[in-house]
Amino acid sequence: MDKFVIRGGNPLLGTVRVSGAKNSALPCMAAAILTAEEVVLENIPQVQDIETERKLLVSMGAEVELGYGRAQHRTTVSCAVLSDPVAKYEIVKTMRASSLVLGPLIARTGVARVAMPGGCAIGGRPIDLHIKGLEKMGATISYEHGYIEAKAERLKGTEILFDKITVTGTEDLLMAAVLAEGETVFENCACEPEVVDLATMLIGMGAKIEGAGTPTIRVQGVDKLHGVRHRINPDRIEAGTFLVAGAITGGDLQLTNCNPEHLGAVIHKLQECGARIDILGKDAIRVRSEGNLKAADVSTQEYPGFPTDMQAQYMALATQAEGASLVVENIFENRFMHVSELARMGANIKVEGRTATITGKSPLSAAAVMCSDLRASASLVLAALVADGESILDRVYHMDRGYEHIEEKLRGVGAQIRRMGKVFG
Ligand code: UD1
């Protein structure tokens, strides 16, 4: 299993090119299921979750060519034949977002079999809202041998009010609605830029969608969709992670190929902490800090609020800020797995329910730590960049799920980081 060895202490200086958003690329690849024609996606990040999605689509009969060698990270997906509309457990268990194929599969083929995501269908991260929506659209749902089977001759437009805001739930049902008969009106939708990215692609395929990016989305179903060429949004979470990296190390980083408009809450919070941030036009940002950071409270919210996917990274920063910062996690229970590892590096963090209190500034000392999930890994990398000595991060496969060539990007701006073990890619 790969490990990162990181020696802390260097301020990060230079320019980082932000990759395409994994969380946009995943639904956009799934959307290719909706047409028999070829779909070309640009700016697809070279990360493990995308490789998993490729395997998933190929296992269903699709042809997928991930063109990383060429410019634009161009990927071609052709779902002319979907001989086996099944998302198998072996694949779904490694990536919960595999449930995103449920909506497009049933819309295109009339039947979908998707393995229930490993142990969390009823527990911490359920997909009950996806199922409820499909049932409302006329699908018959059954459960057998760990699989959800959904069937419908043709889905029917209806009104769907999400009980809770869900990003992939909104995306999954949006993909179901575009080929349904008649109008579907969704209320209480996720407004994340990834939903808008998907809707833009679907509109390019001939879908009739209004209101993506607002809580109400209206879809007029069409009979057929066609191929499209679509460019994936920049990854706002990767960009946010590098903004924190610049601020925490007392560095001076310029991020290119990003979208500052998607980073409002993160930029605002880093400014409150004392980092200097300059927007350098439509697709670039500069972050600078002298290292004299101040505590600031954070409460995770749906977009445009502070993203839960930046909570762990922000917590690493808070350990280096003067004073007490309160971090409240409102989206996911149990998303404080990085706390115990940060504490092992010397952070002063107390957790009570959904609230963590971080008291800084704590000198961090290098340690051997374990990555527990994607964003927790990012938080530990950030902490290691300012720790005294050489840290060893185990299980970096979590990081590889969502950060493209992270160690090369960090090394390029002066971090001392190397990988031990097999190199991904
Ligand atoms: C997506 C992102 C993930 C991010 C999250 C929140 C992708 C591939 N992943 O995950 O990185 O952290 O949004 O911004 O885009 N819920 C239910 N029932 C459902 C669905 C969700 O109760 O059927 C709950 C979840 O348990 C959670 C909340 O709704 O408490 C939000 O989850 P959701 O927005 O669905 O997260 P994902 O789409 O899985």
Side-chain angles (χ1 to χ4, degrees), residues 364-407:
L364 297 183
S365 76
V369 288
M370 193 79 85
C371 302
S372 54
D373 66 52
L374 173 57
R375 307 305 171 187
S377 325
S379 154
L380 297 179
V381 167
L382 292 165
L385 288 174
V386 291
D388 180 20
E390 202 167 75
S391 296
I392 299 181
L393 275 63
D394 204 350
R395 303 200 176 165
V396 297
Y397 61 83
H398 286 295
M399 191 97 187
D400 292 333
R401 281 189 42 219
Y403 286 90
E404 183 171 49
H405 304 315
I406 184 72
E407 72 268 34

Side-chain angles (χ1 to χ4, degrees), residues 22-24 26-27 49 95-100 120-121 123-131 162 164-171 190 192 194 236-237 301-303 307-309 330-333 335 354 374-375 401:
K22 164 184 90 73
N23 285 355
S24 279
L26 291 172
D49 272 7
M95 190 180 68
R96 209 185 143 277
S98 306
S99 50
L100 274 170
C120 55
R125 290 182 78 174
I127 57 164
D128 56 313
L129 300 175
H130 303 224
I131 306 291
F162 288 104
K164 198 170 179 179
I165 298 177
T166 158
V167 178
T168 49
T170 302
E171 293 163 350
E192 267 66 3
E194 294 75 29
R236 64 193 169 99
I237 305 300
Q301 303 290 347
E302 291 86 4
Y303 190 84
T308 172
D309 283 354
N330 292 305
I331 310 295
F332 292 113
E333 315 153 23
R335 202 175 194 180
R354 289 177 175 267
L374 173 57
R375 307 305 171 187
R401 281 189 42 219

Side-chain angles (χ1 to χ4, degrees), residues 31 34 100-108 130 133-139 152 154-160 162 168-187 189 198 202 206-210 217-225:
L34 292 163
L100 274 170
V101 298
L102 192 56
L105 270 185
I106 184 169
R108 166 90 186 278
H130 303 224
L134 288 175
E135 277 180 326
K136 187 109 198 280
M137 295 171 88
R154 186 173 181 192
L155 295 169
K156 293 199 170 42
T158 181
E159 283 175 14
I160 293 176
F162 288 104
T168 49
T170 302
E171 293 163 350
D172 201 15
L173 295 184
L174 185 59
M175 289 187 276
V178 289
L179 287 180
E181 190 186 328
E183 185 182 61
T184 307
V185 181
F186 295 104
E187 301 282 3
C189 296
L198 170 67
L202 292 169
K208 298 208 166 104
I209 302 170
E210 276 174 23
I217 302 182
R218 283 175 190 277
V219 181
Q220 296 290 341
V222 296
D223 293 338
K224 220 175 159 193
L225 294 177

